Amino acid sequence: MPYFADMYNPKYNNRSQGNYGISFYSLTLLLCILSFSNITLVVAQAQIKKAAKPKLVVGIVIDQMRWDYLYRFKSLYSTGGFNRLINEGFSCDNTIIPYIPTYTAPGHTCIYTGSIPAINGIVGNNWFERSINKNVYCTDDSSVSGVGSNSIWGKMSPKNLWGTTISDELRLSNNFQSRVIGISLKDRGAILPVGHSANAAYWYDDVAGKWISSTYYMQALPQWVDEVNKKNYPASVAGKPWETLLPIEKYTLSAVDNNKYENNIDGKPPVFPHTIAANSATKYQEFKFTPYAITYTFDMASAAITNEELGGKGVTDLLAVSISPTDYIGHSFGPNSIEIEDTYLRLDKDIEKFLSVLDQKFGKNNYLVFLTADHGVAHVPAFLQEHHIPAGVFNEYGLTDEINKAAESALGVKIIVKAVENSQVYINTDSTAYKNRSLSDIKAFVINYLKAKDYISDVYEMEKVSKASLPDVLKTRIINGFQPKRCGDIGFIAKPNYFSGGSTGTTHGSWGGYDAHIPLLWLGWNIKAGKTDDEIFMTDIAPTLAALLNIQSPSGNVGKVIKEVIQ
């Protein structure tokens, strides 16, 4: 049989031989080739059309995840969880939070707004609101009511957030056809990422032990959420011990299980196994401090995908998932505990299972996932001290009374400080309280008082920080975190590894790498495998999403597109 090239060979192009230019077999082969080529072209075009945008964007925020957890526990992770994200996705290994304080509410807000507290208004989990003369929680909203619960935990909304999120911009881009849902045990982890126009946000009521929402989003829970709540998973694991996934002697990357600087979650010594008593009045609160609550969150996310048909109606939808138990466990036990190591091994398996759900539902290249953290965490000071590393704790909340008593004794004036929050002092601006003292006298007294504290390295007036004698990196982060309407008058910086807290457990909030260096991984639609060690900022996540989706960046965005991710 002649080859395709033989069509032009005289041997097969001789009418006298009864061959009319192309043999029957050559013609058949040519038609088959052309047909196959056409089919290939049609399939390729269909794939291009299908991949024009992802069906679903999933943001996964691991509350309190230090960047080094990615590699510290890497050899113990499965191939399908964190290691899949690292090996098949794109990792931004030097992602930094560009403001202080590094807390949950500002972190979640920054990720999805590309903005900073100075612009988006979320300056902390809490702040002192001068206009009403009291402390405010970031998602408080007395004008709404709980849905699914009558407790105060339902009176929440995004009203304190200024500007849009990438979730809002996605909805705006197609006249609100995209559906956006937020899920987290913490209300702030569910509400702030999805912005003002979300279809729903669900969070956990730890008194009732179930998922709830507020009238900001709906008047009644959907039937599928009621069905999830009826299963009462938190109660079903009460009495079930949290034991280590591996034999405990395999946890060589952690300190010994029984030590004096960890908290407990069950009223017993902080050692394995940890068990929530089935008849405990606080079992729903204690549930948050176990890896079972991680599984509970991912199961809720999977249920939302299925029941809301996310990614199934021809437009890109967005699901914001925040994993809160890592924060609760981390605060209690610290980053060098067996509890944290075991939690991340179990989290790895939950991520593997969740990615498998996405694979089966949409196909590997039809969804886009990014995974990051809202902040990191410091080592427990007592643990560091044990190893001759300088560290310590102080009582920030006690400073209000402490400074006021000192001022009354030294100056003869009362109540010069209204509150101390987020390492900021809110001065009483009522000058009638100062008698013959000026406001500048009062500020000078507070500054000198704080400078005398051994644990404080720097003190400054918030509005004059640009002229303060501070390293530029500190100035930038202070300015980025400063919103005059919601921040204090005087700020201070604690020494590295010093924070406000007790003798056990740990926290976060500083500019240090342990708090401000976070993971950032991308996987799925249009993402090539690779990594960068270039300095990336948390503010760069939202504009990168905007570039990938060809939509407008959020209204307060100050970030830049991560070119390595979109190329």
Side-chain angles (χ1 to χ4, degrees):
M1 185 177 78
Y3 292 102
F4 181 72
D6 288 333
M7 291 189 298
Y8 298 101
N9 190 318
K11 176 181 176 182
Y12 295 102
N13 197 24
N14 189 332
R15 291 179 184 273
S16 65
Q17 292 179 322
N19 189 307
Y20 297 96
I22 301 178
S23 73
F24 172 77
Y25 298 105
S26 295
L27 181 60
T28 302
L29 179 61
L30 176 60
L31 291 172
C32 287
I33 291 171
L34 290 173
S35 177
F36 178 78
S37 299
N38 187 52
I39 291 170
T40 303
L41 181 61
V42 170
V43 171
Q45 288 175 335
Q47 288 176 336
I48 291 171
K49 185 177 181 181
K50 182 186 261 186
K53 282 191 177 181
K55 293 182 177 180
L56 181 65
V57 175
V58 182
I60 303 174
V61 178
I62 310 300
D63 201 325
Q64 203 193 102
M65 183 175 179
R66 291 165 55 116
W67 170 81
D68 60 348
Y69 291 166
L70 277 182
Y71 296 98
R72 180 174 183 174
F73 307 134
K74 191 175 190 300
S75 64
L76 299 173
Y77 291 146
S78 67
T79 57
F82 284 117
N83 281 329
R84 177 181 170 186
L85 289 161
I86 293 169
N87 297 330
E88 295 182 20
F90 193 90
S91 181
C92 301
D93 277 356
N94 192 23
T95 303
I96 305 297
I97 300 174
Y99 60 81
I100 50 176
T102 47
Y103 292 142
T104 296
H108 282 78
T109 304
C110 179
I111 290 165
Y112 285 87
T113 62
S115 186
I116 49 180
I119 294 172
N120 62 48
I122 305 300
V123 298
N125 294 335
N126 302 273
W127 59 84
F128 184 79
E129 190 76 30
R130 295 185 189 278
S131 61
I132 55 177
N133 200 37
K134 71 175 185 178
N135 274 59
V136 166
Y137 176 63
C138 57
T139 52
D140 271 345
D141 187 351
S142 60
S143 70
V144 301
S145 300
V147 173
S149 170
N150 293 321
S151 74
I152 60 169
W153 306 118
K155 300 180 77 62
M156 304 289 169
S157 86
K159 79 166 189 176
N160 291 322
L161 169 65
W162 301 342
T164 61
T165 63
I166 192 68
S167 316
D168 289 319
E169 295 296 339
L170 178 62
R171 297 260 290 155
L172 285 164
S173 73
N174 53 29
N175 198 31
F176 302 96
Q177 294 180 64
S178 290
R179 282 157 300 155
V180 169
I181 294 176
I183 292 171
S184 174
L185 293 191
K186 293 182 181 180
D187 48 71
R188 57 190 183 272
I191 292 170
L192 296 171
V194 294
H196 301 279
S197 64
N199 299 85
Y202 300 106
W203 56 94
Y204 179 68
D205 184 331
D206 65 7
V207 175
K210 60 183 181 178
W211 295 105
I212 65 170
S213 190
S214 80
T215 52
Y216 181 88
Y217 303 99
M218 62 194 72
Q219 296 303 309
L221 292 176
Q223 183 178 349
W224 69 267
V225 178
D226 283 333
E227 292 299 321
V228 170
N229 283 333
K230 286 177 183 177
K231 293 177 182 177
N232 203 359
Y233 178 78
S236 73
V237 297
K240 180 181 178 181
W242 168 20
E243 298 178 301
T244 55
L245 191 64
L246 305 175
I248 199 164
E249 62 270 16
K250 298 288 186 181
Y251 291 79
T252 58
L253 297 172
S254 304
V256 295
D257 190 28
N258 191 6
N259 59 66
K260 60 186 179 183
Y261 40 77
E262 295 179 354
N263 290 323
N264 66 74
I265 59 174
D266 49 19
K268 300 173 184 176
V271 296
F272 283 98
H274 298 282
T275 305
I276 302 170
N279 59 355
S280 169
T282 58
K283 64 185 176 185
Y284 293 133
Q285 288 93 349
E286 293 172 21
F287 170 74
K288 300 185 302 183
F289 292 78
T290 72
Y292 298 126
I294 297 175
T295 302
Y296 183 58
T297 306
F298 276 117
D299 285 349
M300 179 65 171
S302 296
I305 291 171
T306 299
N307 290 281
E308 297 291 345
E309 298 181 43
L310 296 181
K313 295 187 177 179
V315 293
T316 299
D317 295 327
L318 186 146
L319 177 64
V321 183
S322 177
I323 305 301
S324 307
T326 43
D327 184 70
Y328 294 122
I329 296 167
H331 276 296
S332 293
F333 300 101
N336 212 61
S337 64
I338 293 177
E339 284 81 1
I340 273 293
E341 186 174 353
D342 191 69
T343 292
Y344 275 83
L345 299 189
R346 292 177 179 275
L347 169 62
D348 178 63
K349 291 187 175 298
D350 279 319
I351 290 172
E352 179 178 28
K353 180 182 175 182
F354 185 64
L355 292 178
S356 179
V357 168
L358 296 176
D359 290 342
Q360 294 169 18
K361 188 80 175 176
F362 306 109
K364 285 189 176 182
N365 296 316
N366 290 322
Y367 64 87
L368 172 63
V369 166
F370 69 90
L371 182 146
T372 188
D374 54 348
H375 53 74
V377 70
H379 278 291
V380 178
F383 163 74
L384 292 180
Q385 291 167 0
E386 188 175 84
H387 295 275
H388 312 294
I389 298 173
V393 297
F394 59 92
N395 181 8
E396 177 178 283
Y397 299 105
L399 280 174
T400 301
D401 287 340
E402 190 179 324
I403 295 172
N404 282 334
K405 287 178 181 178
E408 184 175 8
S409 175
L411 305 177
V413 296
K414 296 181 179 180
I415 317 296
I416 67 169
V417 172
K418 285 284 190 176
V420 179
E421 192 79 59
N422 305 321
S423 297
Q424 298 165 19
V425 179
Y426 292 78
I427 300 293
N428 181 4
T429 55
D430 181 6
S431 59
T432 60
Y434 302 151
K435 300 179 181 178
N436 60 340
R437 303 284 182 174
S438 68
L439 183 58
S440 60
D441 289 339
I442 298 301
K443 288 182 178 180
F445 177 84
V446 173
I447 288 171
N448 290 329
Y449 187 87
L450 293 174
K451 280 183 176 180
K453 295 291 184 183
D454 180 62
Y455 56 82
I456 291 177
S457 62
D458 294 290
V459 185
Y460 48 87
E461 280 195 59
M462 298 290 289
E463 291 189 339
K464 297 180 181 179
V465 69
S466 62
K467 297 179 181 179
S469 180
L470 291 168
D472 286 342
V473 64
L474 272 180
K475 286 184 184 179
T476 298
R477 296 190 194 185
I478 293 166
I479 291 168
N480 286 346
F482 176 55
Q483 170 36 246
K485 290 181 180 293
R486 290 178 171 173
C487 286
D489 303 280
I490 295 167
F492 61 89
I493 301 289
K495 291 178 180 178
N497 301 318
Y498 282 75
F499 56 74
S500 178
S503 60
T504 57
T506 187
T507 193
H508 48 85
S510 79
W511 65 276
Y514 47 84
D515 283 344
H517 186 188
I518 56 172
L520 176 57
L521 299 149
W522 306 80
L523 178 74
W525 178 83
N526 275 11
I527 301 298
K528 295 179 181 178
K531 78 166 192 170
T532 180
D533 291 311
D534 291 346
E535 187 172 60
I536 303 294
F537 292 109
M538 180 188 269
T539 46
D540 300 335
I541 298 171
T544 301
L545 283 168
L548 286 166
L549 300 175
N550 289 320
I551 63 175
Q552 183 63 47
S553 291
S555 55
N557 172 62
V558 297
K560 64 183 185 302
V561 174
I562 307 170
K563 293 181 179 179
E564 297 93 333
V565 172
I566 67 169
Q567 290 173 345

